[in-house]
Amino acid sequence: MSQPLAERLRPQSLDDYVGQQHLVGPDAVLRKMIESGRISSFILWGPPGVGKTTLAQIIAHQLDIPFYTLSAVTSGVKDVREVIESAQKNRFFSNASPILFIDEIHRFSKSQQDSLLGAVERGIVTLIGATTENPSFEVIRPLLSRCQLYVLKPLDKADLLQLLDRAIHQDVQLKELNIELKETDALLRYSGGDARKLLNILELVVEASSAEKIVITDELVAQRLQQNPLAYDKGGEMHYDIISAFIKSIRGSDPDAALYWMARMIEGGEQPEFIARRVLISASEDIGLANPNALLLANAAFDAVMKLGWPEGRIPLAEAVVYLATSPKSNSAYLALDDALSEVRQSGNQPVPLHLRNAPTDLMKQLGYSDGYKYAHDYEGNFVEQQFLPDVLTQRRFWHAQHTPAEEKLYQQMIKCWGERYKD
């Protein structure tokens, strides 16, 4: 059975590798590393079809190093340990550590990632991980700290056109056919910067054509994909930059752009709960105290989507997205919490002031627990000034109002209560 076109055209050397010149171009970091023959562990982060797996294979091939590969989708801790054991045996026959390539490393559980740590630390294996998700969230910190991180970009138009030209003129099968690339906009648009998808679409269009001369036009590509919508991975188009554009459009108060990116996700087959969760996050992170009703509406939309499903669920989602995009914005609570977390990590576990402590026993009362605490509701305006922060942090501020109309009221209340402490 013939290999797919994308596999037949997989580059075997850096000179044949298309794209990612910031990593593999002249004097770029990965090229220098390969040329030196000394590879350290690293993680490749980028959208699908930009050459992560190919790059790992080229490195192993050019350096003639034993190469092991695991898929995080199908492998467990037992598989990881077996590969490490095998690599350890191979280590005796080579000066360089064998390469262990883990595709979709973000799908590895914490225990699976933990099982890699020792082998990476001792140099039993050189780890190359590939991920489409942000490693900061998906890879455990100890493992991430032992790896360099290299970001791969979607292939640009010039890269994709170069691939098309190579496929038509160099592939063992396609070069025997009479193929004319009359138009390429549809090919490029449907590929979304994904080389694998681009070549899959090209192969589909060519295989579906029986003419002696195959003239590829935008209309022909659209027809072929409409006839066989599963010929390319619609889910692959929904890589991280689509949801990023969606969130940033809401944050940037552009309801048209937000609806467009949501439509892209819907047409791409995204799960409704995934979109609804992102809407909830946006309501909390970006609208916040500027319009507290945004979170209520986003939560109501989430509940409606769960009850309705597709396609009706798109309606309350659209309402929520337009409402969020057109709402005033504030991330003051979000920033305040991050600042407080940073303080906790820096200053450690500061003791709770005695007057704020719970005193359920006589001994605790004798020790001064809760002594001197003033019950706010016993005072005019339900407020009385007293210390609530630890002794070393009494002057520390975390929340800073951003003075939207709704938040200004909260700010003025704090000025009324605390006076100079809250004046920015």
Side-chain angles (χ1 to χ4, degrees):
M1 185 176 177
S2 176
Q3 286 183 312
L5 174 61
E7 196 59 39
R8 297 199 303 270
L9 282 183
R10 190 181 291 276
Q12 300 300 312
S13 70
L14 284 182
D15 293 333
D16 294 330
Y17 188 82
V18 176
Q20 317 308 332
Q21 290 302 294
H22 64 295
L23 296 177
V24 301
D27 296 324
V29 58
L30 276 182
R31 183 178 284 271
K32 282 185 174 181
M33 189 188 296
I34 295 166
E35 289 173 349
S36 73
R38 294 186 299 273
I39 300 292
S40 57
S41 294
F42 60 84
I43 292 174
L44 300 170
W45 173 28
V50 295
K52 298 185 291 294
T53 303
T54 298
L55 193 51
Q57 292 177 348
I58 287 173
I59 291 170
H61 177 73
Q62 291 199 194
L63 299 183
D64 194 24
I65 297 174
F67 184 81
Y68 298 89
T69 182
L70 287 174
S71 170
V73 179
T74 57
S75 305
V77 173
K78 182 173 177 286
D79 301 297
V80 174
R81 288 175 178 157
E82 286 176 356
V83 166
I84 290 172
E85 225 175 276
S86 180
Q88 196 163 13
K89 292 174 185 175
N90 261 327
R91 185 73 173 81
F92 294 113
F93 303 102
S94 171
N95 290 325
S97 302
I99 290 175
L100 172 56
F101 175 69
I102 300 181
D103 195 17
E104 298 190 82
I105 194 170
H106 60 275
R107 292 178 179 263
F108 258 10
S109 65
K110 182 180 183 299
S111 61
Q112 288 170 307
Q113 293 185 38
D114 281 334
S115 66
L116 292 168
L117 272 176
V120 173
E121 283 178 334
R122 299 196 303 273
I124 294 172
V125 295
T126 297
L127 174 66
I128 300 180
T131 177
T132 56
E133 303 294 332
N134 190 330
S136 302
F137 305 126
E138 307 296 343
V139 178
I140 60 173
R141 189 171 298 175
L143 189 58
L144 193 57
S145 68
R146 289 160 176 80
C147 299
Q148 294 294 319
L149 176 63
Y150 300 117
V151 180
L152 283 75
K153 304 172 182 178
L155 300 183
D156 61 24
K157 182 177 180 179
D159 294 330
L160 296 171
L161 291 176
Q162 184 182 344
L163 275 174
L164 288 172
D165 184 76
R166 181 181 295 176
I168 289 172
H169 296 105
Q170 296 182 22
D171 177 63
V172 291
Q173 294 182 28
L174 296 194
K175 69 180 181 180
E176 301 299 323
L177 303 174
N178 188 1
I179 301 173
E180 178 190 347
L181 271 178
K182 186 175 181 180
E183 296 172 332
T184 59
D185 284 352
L187 282 169
L188 302 184
R189 184 172 68 253
Y190 284 122
S191 71
D194 183 330
R196 187 185 307 109
K197 187 186 295 184
L198 176 75
L199 296 175
N200 287 346
I201 295 171
L202 175 63
E203 189 171 35
L204 169 72
V205 172
V206 170
E207 287 179 349
S209 302
S210 56
E212 187 173 325
K213 181 176 182 179
I214 303 170
V215 180
I216 295 179
T217 63
D218 294 342
E219 184 181 0
L220 178 64
V221 171
Q223 286 175 353
R224 294 291 181 263
L225 293 182
Q226 187 176 17
Q227 289 169 6
N228 188 357
L230 298 179
Y232 66 101
D233 179 17
K234 289 177 100 175
E237 192 172 352
M238 312 319 296
H239 46 68
Y240 68 92
D241 55 338
I242 299 291
I243 190 63
S244 175
F246 174 62
I247 293 296
K248 288 172 181 173
S249 298
I250 295 176
R251 183 181 300 144
S253 300
D254 190 332
D256 298 314
L259 288 171
Y260 168 79
W261 293 117
M262 185 168 75
R264 284 280 297 274
M265 288 187 283
I266 292 171
E267 282 298 299
E270 187 55 75
Q271 294 297 313
E273 58 267 25
F274 174 83
I275 303 174
R277 277 196 296 269
R278 267 53 193 180
V279 171
L280 270 173
I281 292 168
S282 178
S284 303
E285 180 180 343
D286 295 315
I287 288 83
L289 295 174
N291 182 3
N293 284 331
L295 182 58
L296 299 177
L297 188 68
N299 194 55
F302 184 94
D303 288 342
V305 167
M306 293 300 99
K307 292 172 183 173
L308 297 173
W310 277 162
E312 291 81 0
R314 76 191 192 284
I315 302 169
L317 264 185
E319 292 173 7
V321 167
V322 171
Y323 186 79
L324 266 59
T326 55
S327 287
K329 306 297 187 294
S330 171
N331 65 347
S332 67
Y334 174 65
L335 293 178
L337 178 59
D338 276 356
D339 196 15
L341 288 169
S342 177
E343 179 61 57
V344 168
R345 293 175 190 127
Q346 182 178 332
S347 58
N349 294 327
Q350 295 296 322
V352 176
L354 283 175
H355 67 284
L356 297 181
R357 298 186 189 186
N358 189 29
T361 69
D362 290 338
L363 175 60
M364 289 177 172
K365 291 174 183 175
Q366 291 168 17
L367 291 174
Y369 283 30
S370 198
D371 187 29
Y373 169 66
K374 299 172 184 176
Y375 187 59
H377 297 293
D378 289 340
Y379 296 83
E380 184 180 353
N382 300 312
F383 173 80
V384 58
E385 188 170 345
Q386 60 186 318
Q387 178 187 333
F388 291 99
L389 281 164
D391 293 341
V392 299
L393 300 175
T394 53
Q395 300 305 311
R396 190 71 162 83
R397 280 278 306 282
F398 299 110
W399 181 64
H400 297 271
Q402 294 182 356
H403 306 292
T404 58
E407 206 163 341
E408 182 65 24
K409 294 179 181 178
L410 306 179
Y411 174 69
Q412 292 302 327
Q413 175 65 17
M414 291 299 95
I415 294 291
K416 181 181 176 183
C417 291
W418 296 101
E420 290 297 325
R421 175 183 163 190
Y422 265 87
K423 286 188 177 177
D424 291 323

